[in-house]
Structures are given as C-alpha cells and as structure tokens.
Amino acid sequence: MTSNRWFIDSETGELSDVLLCPPDNYNWIPSNDIAIQTMAKGVRIDRGALAAQFGELVSALEGAGAACHFLKPRAGMPYQVYTRDSSQTTPWGTVVTRMMRPERKAEEGEIRTFYEPDDIWKSATQGHIEGGDIHIIRPGLVAVGVTGGRTDQAGAREFLGWFEDAGWTTRMIHFPEHFLHLDVIFTMVTENLAIAATDVLDDEDLDWFRAQGIRLLPVSYKEAMRDMGCNVLALGRDRVVSPRHSKRINEMLRAEGLTVIDPELNQFSQGGGSIHCMTMPLRRASLAAG
C-alpha cells in the first residue's frame, strides 16, 4: 500500500507540487531529430542562458503557487532535466517508468532515491514506457502515445491495464518515432481544451478526443517541432506555462481566456524538450472533487 503522498487525476487540476532537475549536466546529444538538426546548424548551448532560463521557469512555477522539488543532477545523464519521463504520478501513487534510450536508463536510480518507498505504487516491467507519452487527461480517461522508439505497445499495454482495472477509459495513440513523445504533438491546457498538431495525429485519434468532449486548438508541424509549441504545462485555474518564443500559440491561448506565463526556454527546446518535458507534477487538486 502506498502513502498516496503524491496524487494527480488529471493534466489540468491546480498544481501544488512539481518535480524538476537542475540542468547542471544537460547537453544536446544526437539522440532525437530536433537536437540533431540544431547541432547540424552549428548552434551551441549557451550555459549562462541555460541556467538563467531554468531559474526563470522555477520562479514562474513558484510564483504560481507550486512547490518545486528537485532531483540531484548526476554526471553522465544529459537528459535528466526532462523529469517527465522517468516517473509518472497517478491517482494511486507513483509509477517508476522503464525508459528505452540507453543514455537515459541510469535515471531510474536517482528517481528511486528521490521517492520514498511508500510513494511508489507500481514499477513498469514490460517493454518500455516514458512519462512524456502518458496523458492522464481527467478522472476516468487516460491516453498513452506509442511510437516503438520510446514507448512501445508492451509498455503501454501494461500501464493502461492498471487503469482499465480501475474502470478507466484508455487509448493508445500511435504516431511516428520522429515526434519523440505524445507531449510534442498533444497537451491539455485546461479542462476539455487541448493544443494539438492536428495535421500529425490520425483522424481516428482526433475523432476520439473530440468524442470525449475535448476541443483541439491546432498547432502546425513547424511550431510543434521547431518550437516545442505543444509542450506546455497546465497549472490549473485556466493558467498555462508556455515558452516565450511560441508567440502565435500564446496569443491563441490568451484569446481563449487563459493566463499565459511565458518564460524563455529556447536552450531546452532546441535539444528536443520544453516545459512539459521538464516537469513531473507530483500533486494536483482532484478534478473528481469538483
């Protein structure tokens, strides 16, 4: 039995606690198409800007009322900063995921050091699954992205099976590995509203989201891949954190009545991740309580 110290039942309930990792050892490496393209252009990380941008994100989260918790950065873990992937908070406690990429496998050790034993509800044992592919949309509804490159069918099936046992509606969303994780092409921004690369997702998946009462605001392929435009974090109470360079998307969100907090994060987006990737919500207010 877990302590249920950490709890979420949606992507959009009010955020009170979140897990991050300082970018001390962060580096762009040629492990995804976004970083490969950045490095091919001869662009190099500005480490001063990197530290400043991480600090700006932490300040934004704390200013919005979220308590920030931190993993200890470890040498040899260039993408540990993307805390979304190595664990997943659920309504029943934490799931330790099972990452596929060799440069990320060692992150599991630090994750298990952070969590107390009673925090951990389940550990993934089948195939591979990463948190960037998991979307706990609202109580009773969860989707997992499957590319075979970071999350495969075996990993998704095991994870979704735990929710199906609890009576939840589940769906696997299949898309090309080029897009890394589901949160590169789809993210909830407030209850029943999401931003999505609608020209990337299959029509059947778009229809499924809409059938669940989810309205989709369109993001282009270029915005999704160049800018990590879908990779935003809902804070609850119609607030969202979205990178400053996503100007059109931020205007679109504000036109929907959302408050947009827009830290600069281009040192991270050029490596293949952004705000959603860099944050694992540890506790949100329950949407079921409403």
Side-chain angles (χ1 to χ4, degrees):
M1 180 176 294
T2 67
S3 65
N4 225 25
R5 180 166 67 122
W6 304 131
F7 167 95
I8 70 164
D9 63 9
S10 76
E11 276 279 329
T12 59
E14 185 172 357
L15 182 68
S16 62
D17 293 85
V18 62
L19 179 62
L20 303 101
C21 181
D24 300 20
N25 302 302
Y26 178 72
N27 239 319
W28 299 336
I29 60 173
S31 63
N32 65 73
D33 285 352
I34 298 162
I36 289 169
Q37 290 179 30
T38 297
M39 295 167 74
K41 295 173 184 173
V43 180
R44 296 291 178 263
I45 287 181
D46 179 334
R47 305 222 59 101
L50 184 79
Q53 289 178 13
F54 184 77
E56 188 177 353
L57 174 60
V58 170
S59 294
L61 293 167
E62 292 177 340
C68 294
H69 306 259
F70 300 95
L71 293 178
K72 184 175 181 178
R74 299 289 187 182
M77 298 185 191
Y79 279 169
Q80 189 187 10
V81 69
Y82 296 136
T83 56
R84 177 69 56 162
D85 298 322
S86 48
S87 66
Q88 175 64 56
T89 315
T90 77
W92 310 284
T94 295
V95 172
V96 176
T97 60
R98 198 163 186 242
M99 293 194 287
M100 181 178 285
R101 298 288 306 184
E103 67 273 8
R104 302 203 65 184
K105 288 181 181 294
E107 293 177 34
E108 181 180 338
E110 185 56 31
I111 276 292
R112 291 189 181 276
T113 298
F114 171 78
Y115 290 111
E116 296 177 5
D118 284 350
D119 293 336
I120 297 174
W121 174 58
K122 300 277 190 184
S123 294
T125 62
Q126 304 299 310
H128 298 90
I129 186 163
E130 300 185 357
D133 280 315
I134 298 168
H135 239 65
I136 298 175
I137 296 171
R138 62 172 183 254
L141 188 66
V142 59
V144 170
V146 177
T147 65
R150 284 164 172 81
T151 296
D152 54 28
Q153 289 202 55
R157 193 178 300 115
E158 179 185 45
F159 184 87
L160 291 175
W162 298 327
F163 284 76
E164 289 163 2
D165 289 345
W168 286 48
T169 298
T170 70
R171 187 174 181 88
M172 292 189 199
I173 309 290
H174 295 268
F175 54 94
E177 183 182 348
H178 170 66
F179 295 102
L180 314 183
H181 289 124
L182 181 60
D183 62 7
V184 173
I185 56 175
F186 172 88
T187 306
M188 298 295 296
V189 292
T190 190
E191 195 171 354
N192 300 324
L193 183 66
I195 53 176
T198 52
D199 54 349
V200 172
L201 288 161
D202 286 346
D203 289 344
E204 293 83 358
D205 294 322
L206 296 173
D207 290 343
W208 181 82
F209 283 123
R210 291 168 180 141
Q212 310 308 316
I214 298 168
R215 188 158 57 92
L216 303 172
L217 301 176
V219 172
S220 70
Y221 170 88
K222 187 175 289 186
E223 288 170 325
M225 291 295 281
R226 179 194 63 197
D227 298 336
M228 290 280 105
C230 284
N231 202 261
V232 304
L233 179 70
L235 297 173
R237 295 196 291 115
D238 294 334
R239 300 168 300 156
V240 64
V241 187
S242 177
R244 190 166 303 148
H245 57 256
S246 295
K247 296 188 183 302
R248 188 199 69 83
I249 293 171
N250 294 344
E251 289 173 3
M252 177 173 65
L253 294 173
R254 289 184 176 112
E256 293 287 335
L258 274 67
T259 298
V260 178
I261 302 167
D262 57 350
E264 183 57 74
L265 282 170
N266 66 355
Q267 295 298 307
F268 296 95
S269 62
Q270 292 177 94
S274 191
I275 295 158
H276 198 268
C277 295
M278 295 167 67
T279 52
M280 171 47 65
L282 295 172
R283 179 168 286 276
R284 289 184 182 274
S286 174
L287 288 191

